Amino acid sequence: MNEPVLTLTDLSAWPRPGTHLAVLGYPIKHSISPPMHNAALTELAKADPQFAAWRYHRFEVPPDELPAALDKLLAAGFRGLNLTVPHKVIAFDKVNTVGSAASPIGAVNTLVNEGGAWSGYNTDGYGLRRSILSELGLMFAGSDVLLLGAGGAARGAAVECLQNSVRSLRIVNRTATSRDALLHQLAPLANGIPIHGIDPAHLPSDLPAGLLVINATSVGLRPADAPPINLAALPRPSAVFDMIYNPAETALLAKARELDIPAANGLGMLVHQGARSLQHWIETVTGQPAPPIPVEVMRRAAEAVLAAP
Ligand code: NAP
């Protein structure tokens, strides 16, 4: 069962016994993080009863209330938070310290209560990389990546690509200004890796075969959306990853299936970023290495929510 949607007024019931975590968003009612994390905690409690007292909640917090929410949740003793739309960038300036993955992205999706202050991390890039490895068998190191999009998710993906030594990075985005802004931000991180900006209306004729295509646009969220790129016009890619997981098969993934190109949707990314967040929180609260995080249990819980009418 999903957690009720809470607001800041519900914090009058805190502090409560136990260890409390939450996701903040606006809106939040569609988040599948609570059932995913609570399923993991239930599973972990089978081997270690301390996790029976851990609970992951969800709070609807408008953007202008985020600073107050962070203070109140800290005062209420919350140990960890996830942030989703629209808070990932807003919170970046509101945290005490920022992890190395989050710093060049300028966005945080995970906050950890470290000694009475929030530290910010970004586990989205890890989730993407881990999911591509486990579902498509591909490592970023040495890959030629064709990244679609130049928004927040694309920025995180691009930083993860560069920090993990891709061979080359090509960024395709319809709006030249945001594409160029992203290229400018990435330049200091390139470390010799070639980065190219591409106008989707003018695909270069010399693209290499074997590209790892990653969709980080929002094209595909609506079932009627056409694919954001014509896969058949590319030299055969090695694989296609679509960050979108609802719908489970976008037009891009359907085309990849038709062309017999290995492909995966974004559910694994969501699961692995969540698993990494949970690992952070457990290690901070217990001061011990975390037990293996039950990612398959998390995935099944997420799938059950998505399959529900
Ligand atoms: P965002 O910042 O709003 O960026 C949206 C991107 O999509 C921009 O590059 C935009 O291009 C492009 N776009 C939008 N409509 C388009 C259209 N009709 N044609 C061509 N390009 C279009 O969004 P975001 O936060 O980066 O999220 C992007 C996607 O990633 C979303 O679908 C989100 O659900 C997904 N995501 C998944 C996960 C996961 O865990 N699986 C995590 C994060 C995000 P312009 O610059 O031209 O507007």
Side-chain angles (χ1 to χ4, degrees), residues 9-95:
T9 50
D10 292 297
L11 284 175
S12 55
W14 265 271
R16 284 184 187 173
T19 299
H20 297 280
L21 309 166
V23 58
L24 315 187
Y26 191 76
I28 197 62
K29 76 172 188 282
H30 297 299
S31 173
I32 56 181
S33 291
M36 195 172 81
H37 280 280
N38 285 322
L41 292 168
T42 302
E43 184 67 19
L44 290 170
K46 291 177 185 168
D48 184 343
Q50 71 164 308
F51 292 110
W54 289 50
R55 197 76 196 159
Y56 187 105
H57 309 270
R58 54 180 173 163
F59 282 85
E60 182 143 279
V61 177
D64 59 334
E65 289 181 20
L66 183 70
L70 295 181
D71 289 347
K72 286 179 180 175
L73 287 157
L74 203 58
F78 276 69
R79 303 306 301 264
L81 302 175
N82 278 141
L83 301 171
T84 186
V85 178
H87 297 316
K88 292 183 187 185
V89 174
I90 311 171
F92 184 78
D93 293 331
K94 313 256 174 297
V95 295

Side-chain angles (χ1 to χ4, degrees), residues 85 88 124 127-128 148-155 172-179 200 215-222 225 228 241-246 265-271 273:
V85 178
K88 292 183 187 185
D124 281 338
L128 171 69
L148 311 178
R155 188 161 34 148
V172 183
N173 197 59
R174 68 172 172 179
T175 305
T177 45
S178 39
R179 190 175 69 224
N215 179 33
T217 74
S218 43
V219 181
L221 282 175
R222 292 171 306 183
D225 285 347
F241 185 90
D242 197 328
M243 288 196 189
I244 295 171
Y245 52 83
N246 191 14
N265 73 14
L267 190 61
M269 175 178 173
L270 181 83
V271 169
Q273 64 77 29

Side-chain angles (χ1 to χ4, degrees), residues 159-179:
V159 169
E160 190 73 16
C161 283
L162 297 176
Q163 289 182 336
N164 288 277
S165 308
V166 292
R167 184 160 52 197
S168 64
L169 177 61
R170 291 171 176 80
I171 295 173
V172 183
N173 197 59
R174 68 172 172 179
T175 305
T177 45
S178 39
R179 190 175 69 224

Side-chain angles (χ1 to χ4, degrees), residues 128-308:
L128 171 69
R129 179 165 52 84
R130 193 71 188 74
S131 176
I132 286 175
L133 180 62
S134 57
E135 285 161 71
L136 298 171
L138 292 176
M139 308 227 302
F140 274 166
S143 288
D144 294 301
V145 172
L146 186 77
L147 179 62
L148 311 178
R155 188 161 34 148
V159 169
E160 190 73 16
C161 283
L162 297 176
Q163 289 182 336
N164 288 277
S165 308
V166 292
R167 184 160 52 197
S168 64
L169 177 61
R170 291 171 176 80
I171 295 173
V172 183
N173 197 59
R174 68 172 172 179
T175 305
T177 45
S178 39
R179 190 175 69 224
D180 292 345
L182 180 56
L183 291 173
H184 183 72
Q185 283 176 326
L186 295 174
L189 305 174
N191 209 13
I193 298 169
I195 312 177
H196 310 276
I198 295 178
D199 176 349
H202 300 100
L203 288 180
S205 55
D206 60 347
L207 289 171
L211 288 166
L212 167 57
V213 177
I214 300 174
N215 179 33
T217 74
S218 43
V219 181
L221 282 175
R222 292 171 306 183
D225 285 347
I229 197 164
N230 179 6
L231 289 178
L234 302 176
R236 188 177 174 78
S238 59
V240 175
F241 185 90
D242 197 328
M243 288 196 189
I244 295 171
Y245 52 83
N246 191 14
E249 187 178 79
T250 59
L252 181 71
L253 294 179
K255 189 67 184 177
R257 184 163 49 81
E258 187 189 313
L259 296 172
D260 212 17
I261 301 168
N265 73 14
L267 190 61
M269 175 178 173
L270 181 83
V271 169
H272 285 290
Q273 64 77 29
R276 185 65 143 197
S277 301
L278 186 55
Q279 183 190 352
H280 268 301
W281 298 322
I282 291 174
E283 292 183 346
T284 305
V285 171
T286 66
Q288 303 288 325
I293 305 296
V295 285
E296 279 313 311
V297 169
M298 295 174 81
R299 175 184 276 275
R300 284 198 296 276
E303 283 169 346
V305 175
L306 290 170

